[in-house]
Amino acid sequence: MLGMYTHSQAELGLNDHHQNEIINYMRFARSKRGLRLKTVDSCFQDIKESRLVDETFTMDEVSEVLNELQAVVHSELESELINTSCTNVLLLRQLFSQAEKWYLKLQTDISELENRELLEQVAEFEKAEFASTNKKSNSENMKPRLVPLNEGGAELLNKEIIRLQEENEKLKSRLKTIELQATSALDEKSKLDRALRDLQIAQGDQKEIIRSKDISDLENTVAALKNEFQKTLSDNTENQKTLEENLMSTKHDLLKVQEQLSVAEKELEKKFQQTAAYRSLRDILTKKNEQIKDLRKRLAKYETED
């Protein structure tokens, strides 16, 4: 549909403007048809004047004349049919070019071209349209021109299409920026996670070294006391009870030291958690997690809008 009109419908089911365009095309086709018919008549006249000069002809001569006439008429008709086909293509090209200007797509139904009822309707329309000399004269005053869409509405439509295209490009740009920000935030979070794991591993290694050293020292002390106890037991049985008491005391000391070591480990971990580096990493991870959540929400929002 190439425009909006309020004219009354006519015989062909079209508004006045489009019907007048069809009349102009019919006038053009009738003119071309008349010229071709005159050409065919001229072919017969030429044959009459050039070949039919004798009063009698043999069968071969008649056959030769008819063959010659057939070749001439065939050539004229073929030329006219080719020209008519090309003319129709040019007319369709005008319509399609005008439609494409306003982002429209027209469709044709080739099967309707052989609809006998419609063909007879068009023939009757042509016969009635050109029967009156006055009507023909009035129609000739109209200029055969394709009128575009209403300029105001078309301009608004074109501007709206451009605006939507620009808005779409802006949304694509914003979405790309948010995706880059999200990717950057994820990369930074991964780096912070690796740094935290390395720090925790280093802390665990340090605790293990301290614990191993304290246990080793305690084991050496116990071994030395056992050796001393055995020597003392062999040298003086009277000191056995004292040594046993010393051994028990040493075991209690060992338990106390182990308990103190556990407390020291807890204090060390508590102090590490209170250090500025640990708090800084924890705060940074918390902020990055919040940023990633926010970016994911914004990204989901823009994907929903697209």
Side-chain angles (χ1 to χ4, degrees), residues 17 37 58-59 77 81 101 114 119 157 185 191 214 235 240 275 284 295 306:
H17 171 77
L37 289 175
T58 65
M59 183 177 296
L77 289 177
L81 291 174
K101 180 180 179 182
E114 297 182 351
L119 290 173
L157 176 62
K191 292 179 182 179
D214 291 340
D235 294 338
Q240 182 177 358
T275 59
I284 291 173
L295 287 172
D306 286 344

Short mmCIF file of all heavy atoms in Angstrom, two decimals, residues 17 37 58-59 77 81 101 114 119 157 185 191 214 235 240 275 284 295 306:
data_model
loop_
_atom_site.label_atom_id
_atom_site.label_comp_id
_atom_site.label_asym_id
_atom_site.label_seq_id
_atom_site.Cartn_x
_atom_site.Cartn_y
_atom_site.Cartn_z
N HIS A 17 -7.09 8.17 -7.72
CA HIS A 17 -5.73 8.42 -8.20
C HIS A 17 -5.14 7.20 -8.90
O HIS A 17 -4.64 7.30 -10.03
CB HIS A 17 -4.84 8.83 -7.03
CG HIS A 17 -3.39 8.90 -7.39
ND1 HIS A 17 -2.86 9.96 -8.08
CD2 HIS A 17 -2.37 8.03 -7.20
CE1 HIS A 17 -1.57 9.75 -8.28
NE2 HIS A 17 -1.27 8.58 -7.75
N LEU A 37 -0.71 -2.82 -34.91
CA LEU A 37 -1.73 -3.31 -35.85
C LEU A 37 -1.58 -2.64 -37.21
O LEU A 37 -1.74 -3.29 -38.26
CB LEU A 37 -3.12 -3.04 -35.28
CG LEU A 37 -3.52 -3.91 -34.07
CD1 LEU A 37 -4.87 -3.47 -33.53
CD2 LEU A 37 -3.54 -5.38 -34.45
N THR A 58 0.79 -20.19 -59.13
CA THR A 58 0.92 -21.62 -58.86
C THR A 58 0.88 -21.87 -57.36
O THR A 58 0.98 -20.95 -56.54
CB THR A 58 2.24 -22.15 -59.44
OG1 THR A 58 3.32 -21.54 -58.74
CG2 THR A 58 2.33 -21.85 -60.93
N MET A 59 0.73 -23.15 -57.02
CA MET A 59 0.70 -23.50 -55.60
C MET A 59 2.02 -23.13 -54.91
O MET A 59 2.03 -22.65 -53.76
CB MET A 59 0.43 -25.01 -55.45
CG MET A 59 0.32 -25.46 -53.99
SD MET A 59 -0.09 -27.20 -53.86
CE MET A 59 -1.71 -27.20 -54.61
N LEU A 77 5.12 -9.47 -34.44
CA LEU A 77 4.44 -9.87 -33.21
C LEU A 77 5.44 -10.19 -32.09
O LEU A 77 5.25 -9.84 -30.93
CB LEU A 77 3.54 -11.08 -33.47
CG LEU A 77 2.29 -10.82 -34.31
CD1 LEU A 77 1.53 -12.11 -34.55
CD2 LEU A 77 1.39 -9.80 -33.62
N LEU A 81 5.59 -8.33 -28.50
CA LEU A 81 5.45 -9.06 -27.24
C LEU A 81 6.65 -8.82 -26.32
O LEU A 81 6.50 -8.65 -25.11
CB LEU A 81 5.28 -10.56 -27.51
CG LEU A 81 3.96 -10.97 -28.17
CD1 LEU A 81 3.98 -12.45 -28.53
CD2 LEU A 81 2.78 -10.66 -27.26
N LYS A 101 11.66 3.00 -1.03
CA LYS A 101 12.06 4.28 -0.46
C LYS A 101 11.48 4.46 0.93
O LYS A 101 12.10 5.08 1.80
CB LYS A 101 11.62 5.42 -1.38
CG LYS A 101 11.99 6.80 -0.87
CD LYS A 101 11.53 7.88 -1.83
CE LYS A 101 11.88 9.27 -1.28
NZ LYS A 101 11.40 10.34 -2.19
N GLU A 114 -3.95 -14.68 -15.04
CA GLU A 114 -4.70 -15.55 -15.95
C GLU A 114 -6.14 -15.77 -15.48
O GLU A 114 -6.82 -16.68 -15.94
CB GLU A 114 -3.99 -16.90 -16.08
CG GLU A 114 -2.60 -16.79 -16.70
CD GLU A 114 -1.93 -18.14 -16.86
OE1 GLU A 114 -2.48 -19.14 -16.34
OE2 GLU A 114 -0.87 -18.20 -17.50
N LEU A 119 -9.75 -10.57 -16.11
CA LEU A 119 -9.35 -10.06 -17.42
C LEU A 119 -10.55 -9.47 -18.17
O LEU A 119 -10.45 -8.41 -18.82
CB LEU A 119 -8.72 -11.18 -18.24
CG LEU A 119 -7.34 -11.66 -17.77
CD1 LEU A 119 -6.90 -12.89 -18.56
CD2 LEU A 119 -6.30 -10.55 -17.90
N LEU A 157 7.51 9.17 9.57
CA LEU A 157 7.87 7.76 9.58
C LEU A 157 9.37 7.57 9.41
O LEU A 157 10.01 6.80 10.12
CB LEU A 157 7.12 7.03 8.47
CG LEU A 157 7.46 5.53 8.28
CD1 LEU A 157 7.11 4.76 9.54
CD2 LEU A 157 6.73 4.96 7.08
N ALA A 185 35.56 -6.57 36.36
CA ALA A 185 35.31 -6.83 37.78
C ALA A 185 35.53 -8.31 38.12
O ALA A 185 36.08 -8.65 39.17
CB ALA A 185 33.88 -6.43 38.12
N LYS A 191 41.72 -12.22 40.82
CA LYS A 191 43.04 -11.89 41.35
C LYS A 191 43.03 -11.79 42.86
O LYS A 191 43.94 -12.27 43.55
CB LYS A 191 43.51 -10.57 40.73
CG LYS A 191 43.81 -10.65 39.24
CD LYS A 191 44.25 -9.31 38.70
CE LYS A 191 44.51 -9.37 37.19
NZ LYS A 191 44.91 -8.06 36.66
N ASP A 214 57.78 -26.37 68.41
CA ASP A 214 57.42 -26.53 69.83
C ASP A 214 57.30 -27.99 70.21
O ASP A 214 57.78 -28.42 71.28
CB ASP A 214 56.11 -25.80 70.11
CG ASP A 214 56.27 -24.29 70.02
OD1 ASP A 214 57.43 -23.81 70.13
OD2 ASP A 214 55.25 -23.59 69.85
N ASP A 235 70.95 -45.82 89.51
CA ASP A 235 71.94 -45.41 90.51
C ASP A 235 71.36 -45.37 91.92
O ASP A 235 72.03 -45.72 92.89
CB ASP A 235 72.51 -44.04 90.18
CG ASP A 235 73.33 -44.09 88.89
OD1 ASP A 235 73.78 -45.19 88.52
OD2 ASP A 235 73.47 -43.03 88.21
N GLN A 240 63.46 -42.90 93.06
CA GLN A 240 62.51 -43.31 92.03
C GLN A 240 61.19 -42.55 92.12
O GLN A 240 60.63 -42.11 91.13
CB GLN A 240 62.25 -44.82 92.15
CG GLN A 240 61.31 -45.34 91.08
CD GLN A 240 61.15 -46.86 91.18
OE1 GLN A 240 61.78 -47.52 92.05
NE2 GLN A 240 60.31 -47.40 90.31
N THR A 275 44.62 -7.65 61.37
CA THR A 275 45.62 -6.84 60.66
C THR A 275 44.96 -6.05 59.53
O THR A 275 43.91 -6.44 59.03
CB THR A 275 46.73 -7.74 60.07
OG1 THR A 275 46.12 -8.66 59.18
CG2 THR A 275 47.48 -8.48 61.17
N ILE A 284 37.77 -5.29 50.21
CA ILE A 284 37.83 -5.23 48.74
C ILE A 284 36.97 -6.34 48.13
O ILE A 284 36.20 -6.12 47.19
CB ILE A 284 39.28 -5.34 48.25
CG1 ILE A 284 40.06 -4.06 48.63
CG2 ILE A 284 39.33 -5.53 46.74
CD1 ILE A 284 41.53 -4.13 48.33
N LEU A 295 26.24 -5.19 38.59
CA LEU A 295 26.46 -5.25 37.14
C LEU A 295 25.63 -6.37 36.50
O LEU A 295 25.10 -6.23 35.42
CB LEU A 295 27.94 -5.48 36.84
CG LEU A 295 28.85 -4.27 37.09
CD1 LEU A 295 30.30 -4.66 36.95
CD2 LEU A 295 28.51 -3.13 36.14
N ASP A 306 16.24 -5.43 25.29
CA ASP A 306 16.51 -5.77 23.87
C ASP A 306 15.54 -6.80 23.37
O ASP A 306 15.15 -6.83 22.26
CB ASP A 306 17.95 -6.27 23.72
CG ASP A 306 18.93 -5.12 23.83
OD1 ASP A 306 18.46 -3.97 23.71
OD2 ASP A 306 20.12 -5.36 24.04
#
